[in-house]
Amino acid sequence: MTTVAAYAAPAAKAPLERTTIERRAVGESDVLIDIKFAGICHSDIHQAREGWGEAIFPMVPGHEIAGVVSEVGPGVTKFQVGDRVGVGCMVDSCRECENCLRGEEQYCLKGMVGTYNAVGKDGEPTYGGYSEKIVVDENYVVRIPDGLSLDVAAPLLCAGITTYSPLHHWNAGPGKKVAVVGLGGLGHMAVKIAHAMGAEVTVLSQSLRKKDDGLKLGADHYHATSDPKTLEELAGTFDLIVSTVSAPMDFGALLSLLKVDGALVNVGAPEEPIALNLFSVIGGRKTLAGSMIGGIRETQEMLDFCAEHGIGAEIELISAAEINEAYERVLASDVRYRFVIDTATI
Ligand code: NAP
Ligand code: ZN
Ligand code: ZN
């Protein structure tokens, strides 16, 4: 066991503070990673505040981890000391069910083991990336390509894969009109990735406040959902809409913007349910779907795609002492576009 410094929420809704945690000894197929950067995902906030239900405390959030391998177990074959690596939302799964076997470990039938706020196969709680080091089985670690700096790569481990996966699955590409709802951490990655895939990209944001940024990120069009004309003008326009919104919103209105056979894929995880009139999917044979992160193989594919297209996240690098303030800014939709913790400051 190694004692490492970390930032943890001691209880639900309590501010995060510096503490120490134990990391397990490096096992047969484990790698020890010196964490360099950890992104702040809105999911960290939902969980640290028990917005999704009862959680495990103390909680060390963080599932957008970028670092360097500093030790490997004797059975490790994929990584060496010095490799630049990433860890996302899961650190284990059953490895036997049909979903694990086809590389979609995030949908493991026995439940994936989350990077934090979960219990590992050893019966111990898992602790996430707001810490100096982490020990992870090599099968749940991905390689960060040389072309990507670790700080801007960290958010790809959740925000990147969560948007890449549905864009890829629903065939975003040339000739497709794709809308991204919410220009935050996930939304700004969705814009960059959909643009790189060749789609015509529209941002639907609450206001036009971030319009210049959205267009620079690769959007072709930008509209405010608060303007009633937006719904009229864009009715029946899109092949695919990806909603990244963290709060309940009017999905009926979003569905009205789809073409016949279009799909609205929700990746946002609001704390409250929504009400939906099902006539909004009947007319137009529309699909309402969801998507959760992506498998390990697809996460590597996404990192390679991002490196090839020169895509990293737009980040505000912060010290660990600024985490609580960053949480407030994320809650106020005042993030441009991902907070990343420099873990050397923990
Ligand atoms: P974020 O950076 O806070 O972005 C969310 C964006 O949603 C905001 O920037 C804002 O965009 C918009 N928004 C917020 N409140 C809204 C409201 N009341 N009405 C309309 N729009 C609103 O959060 P994130 O880190 O991207 O995460 C987004 C959501 O995805 C969270 O719920 C998170 O838990 C979830 N998530 C899911 C997965 C998955 O696997 N499915 C993975 C990661 C995260 P504008 O200012 O542009 O309107
Ligand atoms: Zn996340
Ligand atoms: Zn499984």
Side-chain angles (χ1 to χ4, degrees):
M1 301 264 267
T2 322
T3 303
V4 303
Y7 256 69
K13 301 191 178 77
L16 278 76
E17 55 190 38
R18 192 177 187 281
T19 185
T20 57
I21 52 169
E22 300 296 319
R23 293 299 191 188
R24 68 169 182 259
V26 176
E28 180 72 15
S29 60
D30 285 339
V31 297
L32 174 66
I33 300 166
D34 281 345
I35 299 174
K36 302 294 183 193
F37 300 100
I40 293 180
C41 178
H42 204 124
S43 303
D44 298 347
I45 305 173
H46 289 302
Q47 290 175 89
R49 301 192 173 191
E50 279 193 334
W52 291 345
E54 201 181 324
I56 302 170
F57 294 96
M59 181 190 297
V60 177
H63 57 211
E64 293 186 335
I65 298 171
V68 176
V69 173
S70 59
E71 192 183 330
V72 298
V76 167
T77 58
K78 292 200 294 192
F79 300 103
Q80 292 179 347
V81 170
D83 283 354
R84 302 159 79 249
V85 294
V87 177
C89 298
M90 59 189 159
V91 290
D92 214 337
S93 65
C94 87
R95 309 176 192 208
E96 291 167 356
C97 72
E98 57 184 295
N99 297 338
C100 282
L101 291 178
R102 64 156 191 262
E104 297 200 306
E105 304 90 344
Q106 76 276 29
Y107 303 127
C108 175
L109 293 174
K110 295 194 179 140
M112 68 175 203
V113 178
T115 304
Y116 67 87
N117 191 24
V119 176
K121 283 183 180 163
D122 57 4
E124 298 294 325
T126 56
Y127 296 117
Y130 301 3
S131 63
E132 294 173 312
K133 296 170 196 285
I134 190 167
V135 177
V136 183
D137 185 292
E138 67 163 340
N139 293 301
Y140 296 82
V141 177
V142 287
R143 189 175 296 280
I144 296 180
D146 286 341
L148 285 174
S149 307
L150 291 182
D151 52 356
V152 300
L156 302 180
L157 276 303
C158 177
I161 183 60
T162 301
T163 49
Y164 177 91
S165 185
L167 288 167
H168 187 236
H169 188 82
W170 274 273
N171 301 313
K176 293 288 176 69
K177 292 189 176 179
V178 175
V180 174
V181 192
L183 194 66
L186 266 54
H188 95 289
M189 289 310 312
V191 170
K192 286 191 177 205
I193 292 169
H195 175 70
M197 288 174 170
E200 183 179 330
V201 184
T202 299
V203 173
L204 301 174
S205 179
Q206 292 168 96
S207 71
L208 296 180
R209 211 157 44 99
K210 296 177 274 191
K211 181 173 178 182
D212 290 348
D213 289 353
L215 298 179
K216 273 191 222 133
L217 293 167
D220 301 285
H221 316 280
Y222 200 105
H223 296 270
T225 47
S226 54
D227 180 348
K229 281 201 299 259
T230 297
L231 287 182
E232 261 170 60
E233 250 173 61
L234 299 178
T237 298
F238 300 107
D239 299 286
L240 173 64
I241 301 176
V242 177
S243 175
T244 72
V245 173
S246 50
M249 71 172 301
D250 184 353
F251 271 47
L254 294 181
L255 284 160
S256 73
L257 307 183
L258 288 174
K259 290 180 183 170
V260 170
D261 285 332
L264 166 57
V265 184
N266 173 61
V267 295
E271 299 175 5
E272 306 295 335
I274 60 159
L276 181 66
N277 185 328
L278 289 170
F279 278 96
S280 46
V281 285
I282 295 174
R285 197 167 48 198
K286 292 169 184 173
T287 301
L288 172 58
S291 184
M292 191 173 81
I293 48 172
I296 298 297
R297 188 170 60 226
E298 193 178 30
T299 303
Q300 187 64 61
E301 179 186 304
M302 175 276 307
L303 286 169
D304 296 343
F305 175 91
C306 287
E308 190 186 318
H309 292 270
I311 296 175
E314 302 301 308
I315 65 166
E316 262 189 70
L317 195 62
I318 61 166
S319 67
E322 295 170 293
I323 292 172
N324 294 304
E325 192 187 324
Y327 274 24
E328 293 305 325
R329 285 188 50 199
V330 172
L331 288 169
S333 297
D334 179 26
V335 50
R336 310 258 171 132
Y337 282 87
R338 201 56 144 184
F339 290 107
V340 171
I341 304 160
D342 178 352
T343 55
T345 61
I346 290 177

